[in-house]
Amino acid sequence: MKTSTKNRIKAKERIVLVGVPASPGYAMGLCHTVSTREVSITEENIPEERVATEEQYFLKILNTTTKEINQIKQVTVEKLGTEEARIFEAHLMILKDPTLVNGVLSLIQKEKKSAQWAVHFYVSSLIKQFESHTSALMKERSIDLKDLYHRLMDAFDDTGTVIIDESIKEGVILVAHELNPSTLISLNKDQVLAFATDSGGRTSHVSILARSMELPAVSGLKNVSALVRLGDNLIVDGTGGMIIINPNEADIKKYQEKLEVFKRQQRELFTMRQLEPITRDGKYVTLHANIELVSETDKVLDYGATGVGLYRSEFLFFRKGLPSFEEQVEAYSYILDNLAPHAVTIRTLDVGGDKLISEISLSNEANPFMGWRSIRVCLDHLELFRTQLKALLVANKKGNLRLLLPMISSMEELLSSKEQVKNVIHELEQEGFDCPKVELGVMIEVPAAVILADKLAKEVDFFSIGSNDLIQFTLAVDRTNEKISSMFQPHHPAVLNMIHKTVTAAHREGIPVSVCGEMASDPLSSLLLVGLGVDELSMTPWSIMECKKIIRSINFEEVREIARNVLKMNDTDTINAYLKKKYAQTIIDLGIFSYISNSDFCEISDSPLQQL
Amino acid sequence: MISKKLIVTNKFGVHARPAGMIVDITGKSKSEITIIFDGQKANAKSILNVMMLAIPPGSEVQFDIKGEDENEIMEQLEKLFNENFHEESY
């Protein structure tokens, strides 16, 4: 990255730049710029007698780079664990890859190129191939190869990768055009307080690493590396996604306070695990975790959930060949046994729509979301359905299973499914197997189920609202369609009335209602759901502590009143504005990152920004 | 020779890390192993070849294995795919 002086700001000029909040937290310190060199290597032809020397040189470079990555890998294992270190495992493999080694060697031997040019040419062309992919995901993946490229080029230059002067004692803020995962991991956290980059997004590898290292970061700042000078004062606001160059006294005071609050909140969030999810006026809201993999079982209690609100069993089926009865029993038992006596809700096979499995041939349908999917597939493939039911019932040794039927759109479907459950229980009892109690519930995700909720409620033990599908079907909006995805509105009055109707019908029969879609983990929506009388919220494990914090800060009577008012409103914008007015500040004061980092925040953040 | 189709169910497809995990298995084997995606064949023992296939989430890939330990290797690959490469599923 070239930095031209004419773009630079005047000395000590105060500038606020807004970017992407890559990793939450605040930091203040002196700026330390790092330039990722624009490597220019000239094509060099070598005489025959130098070929052997260049070959040796190349192998030596491979060796040095391998050693270096091994060191970084070691540090990563210590700091972040083996899973995070796997990326460096991949880097090491690339260095050993015969395709790479032979490709470069042949450029040296046959084309008579210098080792450095051969490596430059070969690896750059691989990067270009990656970047030519149409998928953005694959383009982003070229960063791994770029990382290796820079590392190899550095080895040629013999400059090493030490980018921070060892003599720097005070913490600095790193500013760069782009940072590589390996650079980030090799940073000394006492020296580097935070970083800011021109490029990158929230999901890039560097941002994910920064979050797991708890290093505040703002990326996507476009030209920050050209604007700042070495030694400028900087404030990095990784929570709000902005930086202040040469802050004034008021900024510094304000951010010192924010930093204090942030540190306190971090400590609190952790202690939150032991606390009960009770509102200030004593209403208990059950918090459950959504899991997709058996291996996530341990996370459930670790993150402070008191059970599983949704285990999507279809992930066992995404493979070639259906899982056997024994394999299913093993998987379900693992979750049920490990979490007993806590409730574990397991949803029966929900295939079709966007999830396809190879074994059941699902043809290309014009409208897969409204097609042959879910319970419809199960009731047409009774063997498949009964095998799963039997495995579930056998695994339910401790009686903590809650069986959840997806996509129910009619009474007949529910009754036929119940009939199957009853038959399987009967069969098992005939075989001398003692079946402990099992709770049966239905997903409320089709408008028909909402309309029939009072009838369905008489036949089941609980309801679980699948908010994503319910919104999609109620509003007739496919959110994967970019042209209309903004119409996918969880706070649309029709959606909220659907939820209200479902809760009313359930409570009349004395059964609980859970919400297990994305709505449950959105802070504003979760408040509204509690106000609407929803008894349980189920979400990804890492959202639980934040949600618990919100619940502990509110009054049930107050959110009930708010929900009553919202139900009287006619349009989404009015509802959103009302909710924000009532609760946005509370949520910001609580330091809820998931909220602050989502796009809604921009509207709210205007005010603190203007105050600066 | 044995041949099997596996589904990529992790969220980000076969990028560097999952490719490395595949090569972890194939690299140990004496068998000849080919990975086929979208009509393109590649040597499944080369991480670069596997990465360059740019396999997106939800794809079906085929493995052809020929050699003494073909069954054992296929089993390990199946397990890896079923475990989503230890990542989030999509």
Side-chain angles (χ1 to χ4, degrees):
Chain A
M1 177 69 207
K2 277 190 212 145
T3 53
S4 81
T5 39
K6 70 172 183 214
N7 288 337
R8 291 240 168 119
I9 51 175
K10 282 180 235 147
K12 306 296 166 199
E13 184 185 352
R14 176 181 175 277
I15 285 196
V16 179
L17 292 176
V18 178
V20 180
S23 175
Y26 308 95
M28 280 181 265
L30 292 178
C31 154
H32 187 92
T33 47
V34 193
S35 50
T36 11
R37 278 169 306 109
E38 189 81 30
V39 191
S40 68
I41 295 135
T42 40
E43 186 169 352
E44 191 188 347
N45 285 310
I46 51 166
E48 180 66 43
E49 61 268 23
R50 236 182 79 192
V51 168
T53 322
E54 290 295 314
E55 274 177 33
Q56 284 307 311
Y57 191 25
F58 168 56
L59 297 176
K60 192 183 137 229
I61 294 290
L62 278 184
N63 201 1
T64 319
T65 314
T66 304
K67 270 191 202 148
E68 209 176 273
I69 297 177
N70 260 319
Q71 278 174 358
I72 297 167
K73 195 185 102 185
Q74 205 46 47
V75 178
T76 314
V77 170
E78 286 159 18
K79 279 193 189 167
L80 300 169
T82 40
E83 279 298 315
E84 290 291 346
R86 275 190 186 277
I87 187 65
F88 298 109
E89 202 77 65
H91 288 186
L92 287 170
M93 264 183 205
I94 296 174
L95 288 181
K96 274 194 303 195
D97 196 308
T99 314
L100 171 81
V101 179
N102 296 335
V104 173
L105 282 178
S106 119
L107 280 171
I108 299 174
Q109 292 158 352
K110 299 204 181 88
E111 311 284 327
K112 308 279 181 290
K113 301 294 177 197
S114 70
Q116 185 168 13
W117 194 84
V119 171
H120 156 75
F121 180 80
Y122 196 84
V123 182
S124 322
S125 61
L126 287 177
I127 294 171
K128 275 190 205 116
Q129 275 187 53
F130 253 90
E131 287 182 333
S132 67
H133 271 292
T134 42
S135 132
L137 204 58
M138 285 300 157
K139 278 185 190 150
E140 200 169 298
R141 294 302 165 199
S142 69
I143 185 84
D144 287 313
L145 280 176
K146 282 189 191 158
D147 193 356
L148 264 185
Y149 174 83
H150 286 297
R151 215 160 256 293
L152 286 163
M153 286 301 138
D154 279 348
F156 277 111
D157 277 7
D158 216 11
T159 50
T161 50
V162 183
I163 45 165
I164 297 288
D165 188 343
E166 297 272 331
S167 65
I168 295 175
K169 291 276 185 301
E170 249 179 299
V172 294
I173 288 167
L174 211 58
V175 179
H177 175 64
E178 186 176 19
L179 276 179
N180 297 325
S182 56
T183 308
L184 185 58
I185 208 80
S186 59
L187 296 177
N188 178 348
K189 259 199 87 174
D190 295 332
Q191 283 191 314
V192 177
L193 300 171
F195 69 85
T197 56
D198 296 342
S199 61
R202 249 187 84 74
T203 55
S204 61
H205 204 121
V206 177
S207 306
I208 295 167
L209 272 176
R211 290 198 287 276
S212 49
M213 290 170 75
E214 293 173 13
L215 199 62
V218 180
S219 57
L221 287 161
K222 300 206 171 65
N223 60 347
V224 60
S225 69
L227 280 172
V228 293
R229 300 155 193 256
L230 193 73
D232 271 343
N233 253 317
L234 276 187
I235 289 179
V236 171
D237 179 348
T239 307
M242 56 181 227
I243 69 163
I244 304 173
I245 307 170
N246 294 319
N248 58 30
E249 263 173 52
D251 296 333
I252 294 173
K253 189 165 170 285
K254 180 189 160 98
Y255 273 93
Q256 268 165 349
E257 279 165 20
K258 280 194 178 225
L259 193 61
E260 278 311 304
V261 174
F262 182 79
K263 282 183 182 158
R264 203 183 61 229
Q265 281 164 350
Q266 288 295 87
R267 286 192 298 269
E268 275 172 14
L269 212 52
F270 200 73
T271 55
M272 199 55 66
R273 196 167 64 179
Q274 279 84 20
L275 300 175
E276 300 252 50
I278 298 178
T279 64
R280 278 155 63 181
D281 48 353
K283 159 89 176 166
Y284 185 93
V285 181
T286 305
L287 292 184
H288 278 170
N290 291 347
I291 61 172
E292 290 177 350
L293 301 174
V294 174
S295 57
E296 286 177 296
T297 307
D298 299 343
K299 283 191 198 157
V300 176
L301 302 179
D302 279 358
Y303 283 83
T306 51
V308 172
L310 180 65
Y311 167 64
R312 302 177 168 97
S313 67
E314 55 274 16
F315 285 95
L316 272 181
F317 290 75
F318 282 136
R319 43 176 270 181
K320 188 76 184 169
L322 295 171
S324 66
F325 169 73
E326 289 77 15
E327 281 173 284
Q328 291 192 54
V329 173
E330 194 191 333
Y332 306 144
S333 297
Y334 184 87
I335 309 173
L336 287 160
D337 292 352
N338 275 298
L339 295 175
H342 298 291
V344 175
T345 315
I346 301 184
R347 184 174 72 189
T348 60
L349 190 57
D350 184 6
V351 286
D354 53 348
K355 300 177 217 119
L356 302 171
I357 59 173
S358 53
E359 200 65 14
I360 307 161
S361 67
L362 295 161
S363 51
N364 285 331
E365 297 183 355
N367 272 316
F369 281 103
M370 299 191 194
W372 189 58
R373 56 176 286 203
S374 201
I375 197 75
R376 302 168 184 178
V377 173
C378 286
L379 289 173
D380 284 347
H381 280 275
L382 284 180
E383 259 320 294
L384 178 86
F385 190 38
R386 288 169 65 102
T387 305
Q388 184 177 33
L389 290 176
K390 195 168 167 189
L392 284 166
L393 292 163
V394 168
N396 184 30
K397 291 183 283 292
K398 303 190 170 153
N400 55 331
L401 171 67
R402 300 207 305 176
L403 192 64
L404 181 58
L405 303 167
M407 265 296 271
I408 295 289
S409 61
S410 70
M411 246 351 230
E412 292 93 305
E413 275 172 343
L414 171 59
L415 295 177
S416 321
S417 308
K418 271 184 88 171
E419 185 73 18
Q420 293 303 327
V421 177
K422 220 162 75 188
N423 288 347
V424 174
I425 291 179
H426 183 68
E427 257 174 49
L428 284 169
E429 281 170 352
Q430 294 270 296
E431 292 169 27
F433 191 88
D434 182 30
C435 285
K437 73 159 175 60
V438 53
E439 286 190 11
L440 187 80
V442 286
M443 291 285 293
I444 303 289
E445 49 189 341
V446 182
V450 176
I451 292 166
L452 296 175
D454 47 351
K455 298 186 173 63
L456 294 169
K458 290 188 171 59
E459 296 289 333
V460 294
D461 304 304
F462 66 97
F463 278 165
S464 180
I465 296 176
S467 59
N468 296 348
D469 269 345
L470 186 61
I471 298 167
Q472 149 161 297
F473 291 131
T474 302
L475 304 179
V477 169
D478 173 3
R479 65 169 165 165
T480 61
N481 181 338
E482 280 173 20
K483 292 192 188 99
I484 52 166
S485 60
S486 63
M487 291 172 70
F488 188 92
Q489 290 290 354
H491 298 163
H492 189 293
V495 174
L496 298 176
N497 274 287
M498 287 275 184
I499 296 173
H500 172 62
K501 187 169 159 50
T502 307
V503 173
T504 311
H507 288 179
R508 200 178 294 134
E509 294 300 327
I511 63 168
V513 180
S514 147
V515 172
C516 63
E518 273 162 41
M519 235 178 131
S521 58
D522 175 87
L524 277 185
S525 305
S526 66
L527 290 170
L528 189 55
L529 291 171
V530 172
L532 285 166
V534 169
D535 307 274
E536 301 173 9
L537 299 173
S538 190
M539 61 200 75
T540 53
W542 45 87
S543 298
I544 290 198
M545 281 197 252
E546 289 187 347
C547 189
K548 202 183 267 188
K549 198 170 172 181
I550 295 173
I551 287 169
R552 291 180 62 86
S553 72
I554 55 169
N555 271 310
F556 179 57
E557 280 312 320
E558 193 180 311
V559 286
R560 236 167 57 148
E561 178 64 30
I562 282 168
R564 271 196 291 267
N565 292 337
V566 162
L567 285 175
K568 286 179 214 145
M569 296 176 184
N570 296 331
D571 63 281
T572 315
D573 289 347
T574 315
I575 293 173
N576 280 337
Y578 175 70
L579 287 175
K580 273 185 194 164
K581 194 171 137 237
K582 286 281 181 192
Y583 281 107
Q585 201 54 51
T586 313
I587 289 169
I588 291 174
D589 290 346
L590 288 171
I592 305 296
F593 316 125
S594 59
Y595 182 68
I596 292 169
S597 57
N598 82 17
S599 55
D600 277 359
F601 178 68
C602 297
E603 289 166 48
I604 302 158
S605 76
D606 285 348
S607 51
L609 236 163
Q610 281 152 10
Q611 286 162 25
L612 289 171
Chain B
M1 190 194 76
I2 58 167
S3 152
K4 220 170 213 175
K5 287 186 174 139
L6 302 174
I7 311 269
V8 177
T9 55
N10 70 328
K11 204 167 183 170
F12 298 116
V14 183
H15 54 94
R17 210 177 65 118
M21 291 165 104
I22 292 173
V23 176
D24 238 352
I25 295 172
T26 55
K28 287 181 301 203
S29 165
K30 291 201 182 69
S31 302
E32 198 180 295
I33 311 174
T34 315
I35 177 169
I36 306 164
F37 166 67
D38 207 12
Q40 294 167 275
K41 284 188 184 185
N43 173 6
K45 292 183 181 183
S46 157
I47 182 171
L48 276 174
N49 286 7
V50 176
M51 276 170 75
M52 294 323 276
L53 289 176
I55 303 166
S59 324
E60 190 179 71
V61 297
Q62 185 179 323
F63 281 96
D64 289 350
I65 313 182
K66 190 176 162 187
E68 273 170 39
D69 54 357
E70 53 187 31
N71 286 317
E72 197 186 311
I73 295 295
M74 190 65 89
E75 224 170 86
Q76 291 179 25
L77 287 171
E78 261 189 281
K79 188 161 175 275
L80 179 68
F81 274 68
N82 288 340
E83 286 170 353
N84 268 326
F85 307 100
H86 309 162
E87 288 180 7
E88 273 176 71
S89 49
Y90 77 106

